[in-house]
Amino acid sequence: MSSSMPGGELRRLALSVLQPGFVGTEAPDWILRDIGDGLASVVLFSRNIVSPEQVARLTARLRAENPDLIVAIDEEAGDVTRIESATGSSRPGNLALGTVDDTELTEAVAADLGRQLRAAGVSLDYAPSADVNSNPDNPIIGVRSFGSDPDVVSRHTAAWIRGLQSSGVAACAKHFPGHGDVAVDSHHDLPAYPAGRDEIAAQALPPFRAAVAVGVRAVMSGHLLVPAYDPDLPATLSRPVLQGLLREELGFDGLVVSDAIEMGAVTRRYGIDGATVKAVAAGVDAVCVGGESADEATVVRLVEALVAAVRGGRLPPERLAGAADRVREFARWSAGLRAAGAAGEAAGDGIGHVAARRAVRLTGAARAALPLIAAPHVVELVPVTNMAVGSQTPWGVAGPLRERLPGTTSVRVRGQELEEGSVALDSCALEPAAGRPLVIVARDAARHAWMSRAVTGLTAARPDAIVVEMGLPGTVTAAAAQIFTHGASAASGEAAAEVLTDAAAGRAG
């Protein structure tokens, strides 16, 4: 294939390897034009979603331009939800499922989610996270992982893929070759995974091997440096990682999708256009873009960059054509999967609540203190979340507790407020709780020094307080009455409220 091919054909190939997002709850004209010109994929985010019915209308309008259009979404359930971003997910996330460790339950939850996504017209879900969260200080994965044991993560990754795809929605295992042992958020800068090849093979790769074995047809690359395979380029831009490790060693022959190409881990060094060209050259078939840069100008810029790279000899035309072929092949396969998917309505709160409730764990002190009889005061300690977690997605325990115990009061406290002195725990937490139960809700307290100090101080002043940890379980308050939900989904908040107010639930947990 020659780099002197007609400009229109080259532009069509470049368009076909992009998976852009857009703003609005209706399809903008430029997206519809681009689909007609060869764009093969779009990605939906929270900003595109109001209701299931609206999303179904939106995806139907998009597919009127191309029936095989890939409609993707970044929907993990649990803390990372787009389809239920306005309410919080009605299903728990991966850590809760891994904690229960019932693969049939995991498969059922994923199938339930798949039915909801399929009804909305989604054909590709950027999930599950197949990362093994071996570093408890990891700022980006945490409860998004099924756990820290490669065997647990492997069997639940496989179960999740089986369940989702049984409902007609394609899964995408991420973030290859494993984002679980890093200490930097790749949204902002480049993390490194310095392990040797043997350790990587034992710790990070088993879930991806399991995903390939169970029939996953899409894998998302991670923006992290893996010096054992490539000392210079992040995995998304690395041919040794994508071609040598993923294709040749693991035998994956499906669609390679990049993590969001506008993330700082790659753009700070190469720019969004340079990162896009390097990613496709390295072996990425579909470039995800538009979580932040969701406009026509970005798509035009990336198409022009790909075309110029082919013309300038920096991107072999055969590689661009090969990527486009894989996208078309995946589009046809996923359209067939969607057509053959299991019918039926998503169970929603049913299976999601069952799973969330089964994931709750209590200390002995908490069992002795439950159930709450009087309406409590709830102090929710609010961290700054990473960009994968929607900042507007509701979470916590105060809302569902108020429904069960009218008169429940609550306050939300942020670390910056405590540091600035604009909020004092005595006045907002301890004084309103005088003579009544105090419930402290944390989210990854072990990872946030200010939150750990707040929990320690409050439980010292109120030894009878009950701590609900909705992130990774830690040892901040080992002697206190504690409840662990293993995630901060709406389903997990409801499950915690049930345990707090139901004597039988407390004994069963």
Side-chain angles (χ1 to χ4, degrees):
M1 180 177 291
S2 171
S3 60
S4 62
M5 73 175 69
E9 183 181 350
L10 192 51
R11 180 179 182 273
R12 191 172 185 87
L13 289 176
L15 262 177
S16 72
V17 302
L18 301 181
Q19 295 193 334
F22 57 90
V23 176
T25 56
E26 296 184 0
D29 290 341
W30 67 267
I31 279 281
L32 298 176
R33 285 196 305 272
D34 281 353
I35 294 171
D37 289 344
L39 185 69
S41 316
V42 297
V43 186
L44 302 182
F45 293 91
S46 303
R47 61 179 176 242
N48 306 122
I49 295 168
V50 173
S51 68
E53 296 77 18
Q54 167 266 324
V55 180
R57 289 193 300 271
L58 170 62
T59 56
R61 178 66 188 92
L62 292 166
R63 285 210 175 88
E65 305 296 322
N66 175 6
D68 287 350
L69 182 74
I70 301 166
V71 178
I73 196 169
D74 186 13
E75 175 61 52
E76 299 175 14
D79 289 32
V80 178
T81 180
R82 311 296 178 228
I83 201 74
E84 295 183 297
S85 61
T87 58
S89 178
S90 57
R91 305 167 187 89
N94 284 3
L95 183 60
L97 296 172
T99 297
V100 177
D101 199 12
D102 178 345
T103 54
E104 290 185 2
L105 179 68
T106 294
E107 189 169 339
V109 169
D112 185 57
L113 173 62
R115 287 189 289 272
Q116 183 180 19
L117 295 180
R118 178 175 174 265
V122 171
S123 56
L124 169 62
D125 187 8
Y126 294 150
S129 168
D131 308 291
V132 179
N133 196 62
S134 47
N135 183 351
D137 292 326
N138 191 323
I140 187 67
I141 301 300
V143 298
R144 300 167 66 192
S145 168
F146 290 111
S148 58
D149 182 332
D151 290 339
V152 171
V153 178
S154 295
R155 59 177 171 264
H156 288 278
T157 293
W160 212 95
I161 291 167
R162 283 195 304 269
L164 187 76
Q165 295 193 164
S166 74
S167 295
V169 176
C172 179
K174 64 184 184 186
H175 308 78
F176 188 83
H179 215 305
D181 193 11
V182 303
V184 172
D185 184 345
S186 52
H187 287 95
H188 306 298
D189 208 343
L190 180 63
Y193 181 22
R197 291 194 179 195
D198 288 346
E199 182 181 341
I200 292 170
Q203 184 72 20
L205 295 182
F208 291 98
R209 292 187 185 278
V212 172
V214 81
V216 79
R217 296 287 290 272
V219 169
M220 177 177 281
S221 63
H223 298 330
L224 68 160
L225 193 68
V226 190
Y229 288 91
D230 192 327
D232 301 315
L233 292 170
T236 297
L237 316 183
S238 170
R239 192 161 182 81
V241 172
L242 299 183
Q243 180 64 33
L245 179 58
L246 179 58
R247 295 259 186 238
E248 295 173 10
E249 186 174 327
L250 268 64
F252 178 68
D253 63 357
L255 188 75
V256 176
V257 184
S258 79
D259 204 347
I261 205 66
E262 64 262 52
M263 289 166 63
V266 291
T267 58
R268 287 185 63 174
R269 288 160 178 79
Y270 309 105
I272 190 171
D273 43 2
T276 295
V277 170
K278 284 182 175 292
V280 176
V284 165
D285 303 308
V287 178
C288 173
V289 63
E292 299 166 69
S293 305
D295 51 31
E296 182 180 10
T298 297
V299 174
V300 170
R301 178 180 176 183
L302 298 188
V303 167
E304 290 176 348
L306 290 166
V307 169
V310 172
R311 297 287 194 218
R314 292 175 290 118
L315 175 61
E318 296 82 3
R319 169 80 274 270
L320 180 61
D325 285 344
R326 274 214 173 87
V327 170
R328 282 192 292 269
E329 179 186 358
F330 181 88
R332 289 191 295 269
W333 172 79
S334 61
L337 183 72
R338 190 165 56 91
E345 294 297 318
D349 288 342
I351 190 67
H353 181 76
V354 168
R357 178 62 196 84
R358 288 182 61 186
V360 175
R361 300 291 183 268
L362 287 75
T363 62
R367 293 178 193 277
L370 297 178
L372 298 178
I373 303 301
H377 182 59
V378 182
V379 180
E380 295 181 330
L381 304 173
V382 183
V384 176
T385 57
N386 65 66
M387 291 179 66
V389 179
S391 60
Q392 302 304 312
T393 302
W395 67 278
V397 176
L401 259 183
R402 194 172 291 113
E403 294 177 3
R404 289 172 171 269
L405 289 174
T408 295
T409 57
S410 65
V411 64
R412 296 206 130 193
V413 179
R414 292 165 175 80
Q416 184 178 357
E417 296 169 328
L418 293 178
E419 291 167 5
E420 294 172 346
S422 57
V423 167
L425 291 177
D426 282 350
S427 58
C428 76
L430 295 175
E431 291 175 11
R436 36 193 307 222
L438 173 63
V439 176
I440 305 161
V441 183
R443 193 171 181 180
D444 289 324
R447 281 195 53 247
H448 301 283
W450 73 267
M451 193 181 298
S452 175
R453 289 193 299 269
V455 172
T456 301
L458 288 171
T459 53
R462 283 288 302 267
D464 63 328
I466 298 173
V467 179
V468 180
E469 172 58 78
M470 302 191 78
L472 283 177
T475 56
V476 176
T477 54
Q482 294 183 84
I483 297 173
F484 303 99
T485 62
H486 304 95
S489 69
S492 296
E494 292 280 356
E498 177 183 333
V499 170
L500 284 163
T501 56
D502 187 325
R507 287 194 298 272

